[in-house]
Amino acid sequence: MNKPSDLAELRKSYEAGELDEAQAASLPLQQFRAWLEHAIEARVPEPNAMTLATIGTGSDGIARPSTRVVLIKGCDERGIVWYTNYESRKGRELAAHPFAALQFHWVELERVVRIEGRVERVSDAESDAYYATRPLDSRLGAWASPQSRVIESRAVLVTGAAKAAVQHGLHPPRPPHWGGYRLVPERFEFWQGRKSRLHDRLRYTLQEGGSWLRERLAP
């Protein structure tokens, strides 16, 4: 393991690919889908994992960011979808500040995608449909876990799952506090590592009328 004093000496030369305007799609969703599919085909670890950043307000009234890793569960012209507990920290923060940022980091491909926009809940029908596809243990876990709350021990979760199994059996309904969110993109940025730190960065910004402005950013 590297000692903290060695961190400044860590180096990597990024040479896995390139991204220029001639290669990039005119629409950011097309570009994102192409890169996501490539990550899946390349079998990178958890290509569907993304960091979700939200904003909360501390007890001092100052805005404070927080991040966590969630899994993308849907992607279409309406936006990027994930599912979670509405009463979790991220749920409470999104209720107060319905804007967020997502980041995908596919290390093996030397690629990063950043997406920003407003967030809304998906419909109950969408949440019900996805919930029904989850393994039984995961469906029961949604009932058992008071996500982000302080608990005394792991036994609280195990006991909660057992109670949910007794109460709901093999067909638990979706908990009212659990469901999906959709980030409606307003900005995408695609980052491709390049040699000598001269990385490629293309940003797409949503314009009035629904068109997208594509620009190159300095690394």
Side-chain angles (χ1 to χ4, degrees), residues 172-193:
R174 177 177 62 88
H177 58 263
W178 191 98
Y181 288 99
R182 176 179 289 108
L183 183 141
V184 181
E186 298 171 352
R187 181 176 300 175
F188 285 80
E189 182 183 324
F190 297 87
W191 182 96
Q192 175 70 62

Side-chain angles (χ1 to χ4, degrees), residues 62 118 163 172 206 214:
I62 297 176
R118 61 181 176 85
K163 289 181 178 178
L206 184 63
R214 186 179 66 190

Side-chain angles (χ1 to χ4, degrees), residues 40-114:
I40 294 171
E41 293 175 352
R43 298 183 180 277
V44 305
E46 293 197 285
N48 55 333
M50 58 186 185
T51 299
L52 166 65
T54 57
I55 291 290
T57 303
S59 58
D60 55 6
I62 297 176
R64 300 179 184 275
S66 62
T67 66
R68 74 286 290 160
V69 176
V70 298
L71 302 179
I72 182 175
K73 292 299 180 180
C75 171
D76 58 24
E77 289 74 12
R78 296 173 296 170
I80 309 296
V81 174
W82 67 95
Y83 291 85
T84 190
N85 188 315
Y86 291 142
E87 298 175 358
S88 64
R89 177 179 177 180
K90 56 184 171 297
R92 298 193 304 271
E93 291 180 346
L94 287 170
H97 307 283
F99 294 88
L102 304 172
Q103 177 172 292
F104 294 81
H105 186 191
W106 298 307
V107 177
E108 294 76 8
L109 303 178
E110 300 174 358
R111 288 175 172 173
V112 173
V113 180
R114 299 167 58 193

Side-chain angles (χ1 to χ4, degrees), residues 161-210:
K163 289 181 178 178
V166 171
Q167 181 177 358
H168 300 294
L170 298 178
H171 303 287
R174 177 177 62 88
H177 58 263
W178 191 98
Y181 288 99
R182 176 179 289 108
L183 183 141
V184 181
E186 298 171 352
R187 181 176 300 175
F188 285 80
E189 182 183 324
F190 297 87
W191 182 96
Q192 175 70 62
R194 297 294 299 274
K195 190 175 181 180
S196 302
R197 294 300 189 268
L198 300 179
H199 311 303
D200 291 326
R201 293 176 64 189
L202 294 184
R203 181 180 66 190
Y204 297 72
T205 306
L206 184 63
Q207 307 294 291
E208 291 187 15

